Amino acid sequence: MNAIAAGTKLDETALRELEGAFRGQLIRPGDTTYDEHRKIWNGSIDRRPALIARCAGVADVIAAVRLARRTDLQVAVRSGGHSFPGLSVCDGGIVIDLGLMKGIRVDPEASTARAQAGALWGELDRETQAFGLATTGGIVTHTGIAGLTLGGGIGWLQRKHGLTIDQLLSVDLITAEGELVKASATENPDLFWGLRGGGGNFGIVTEFEFRLNPVVRSCSPDRSSGRSRSRRASCASTETGSPTRRTS
């Protein structure tokens, strides 16, 4: 354990109050799963938080934010853990891990999807592709939807449909005060403007609403390797009934 983590003392009274109402998992240094859950995609990042709060729902996120305010500890927020500079984890603070929050609801009639912030792009694609729909998402399936969306979002459909933020319709967000607010083009529009590409520090988004576009799955042979390459759902896609025209 490094000096920062070792020197951080949680308010035990505040922590006990959190434990009494928390539905997810609270992991501290010394717990058997601590090293597993502090690791992120970039293996060069080695940080040791004082607490990892693996939230099971919005109420858990609110409780974790309020604990951080009460104890004046730094907060890092983790969705898929793909932040290259390591913003998904911190030394001596609280990691609010949204990885357990993976709920996805697709409305094929409205061509929209609502997804909780712990979902990965492969998981969202699987649900939307059941209806022949997709949104601009990550190039690899194990990227978290939250970080990529809040950073702008590039993916296979961007040339036809723009960035992920161009398909974002609304969010549910927990503020630094621990309050739930909604943001869209008509509700808290300034906040919504900042979230669409501004990254973090506006709050913790717990759920996203995306516009979906009709696509068809494509599997094309990889001529260089001599084997069939199954691409991500939206990689080689065309709008239903209106194939993309290509010219040589």
Side-chain angles (χ1 to χ4, degrees):
M1 185 182 300
N2 66 16
I4 296 177
T8 300
K9 294 204 66 170
L10 284 170
D11 181 325
E12 294 297 330
T13 300
L15 183 58
R16 282 195 297 271
E17 291 176 2
L18 177 65
E19 289 172 338
F22 202 79
R23 196 161 57 91
Q25 303 169 358
L26 295 173
I27 302 170
R28 302 180 68 179
D31 290 346
T32 56
T33 59
Y34 178 75
D35 284 336
E36 173 189 350
H37 291 298
R38 73 179 179 86
K39 290 180 180 177
I40 60 173
W41 176 75
N42 183 353
S44 67
I45 304 295
D46 183 22
R47 296 178 185 152
R48 295 178 177 271
L51 178 69
I52 302 171
R54 303 198 71 219
C55 301
V58 173
D60 283 354
V61 179
I62 292 172
V65 168
R66 290 177 177 172
L67 173 71
R69 283 179 61 86
R70 179 172 173 177
T71 56
D72 197 29
L73 289 176
Q74 180 183 359
V75 169
V77 183
R78 174 176 178 149
S79 171
H82 261 242
S83 169
F84 185 78
L87 301 180
S88 309
V89 66
C90 60
D91 268 324
I94 299 175
V95 172
I96 298 179
D97 187 341
L98 308 177
L100 298 176
M101 298 172 58
K102 292 180 176 291
I104 298 170
R105 291 174 292 152
V106 179
D107 184 341
E109 295 297 323
S111 293
T112 61
R114 297 192 67 90
Q116 289 185 307
L120 307 181
W121 279 108
E123 295 165 342
L124 178 58
D125 283 342
R126 182 180 184 278
E127 299 301 323
T128 62
Q129 270 290 289
F131 304 97
L133 300 169
T135 194
T136 305
I139 294 174
V140 295
T141 58
H142 48 89
T143 303
I145 68 168
L148 186 133
T149 300
L150 297 175
I154 60 173
W156 298 114
L157 289 178
Q158 69 184 49
R159 291 187 179 183
K160 181 180 287 290
H161 298 295
L163 301 175
T164 308
I165 54 172
D166 296 318
Q167 306 299 316
L168 185 62
L169 299 176
S170 69
V171 301
D172 291 354
L173 178 141
I174 308 302
T175 67
E177 291 75 29
E179 302 295 332
L180 172 66
V181 300
K182 293 183 179 292
S184 67
T186 57
E187 190 172 1
N188 294 308
D190 289 345
L191 175 60
F192 189 60
W193 179 87
L195 288 167
R196 295 172 67 239
N201 297 325
F202 294 99
I204 300 176
V205 177
T206 57
E207 188 165 298
F208 298 81
E209 181 185 17
F210 297 103
R211 180 186 301 108
L212 301 177
N213 303 285
V215 297
V216 293
R217 186 182 296 273
S218 174
C219 181
S220 63
D222 185 340
R223 303 298 182 189
S224 62
S225 65
R227 64 184 178 213
S228 178
R229 177 178 58 197
S230 180
R231 296 184 176 182
R232 182 178 176 275
S234 55
C235 174
S237 61
T238 59
E239 291 196 15
T240 303
S242 179
T244 303
R245 297 184 181 275
R246 297 182 179 176
T247 57
S248 58

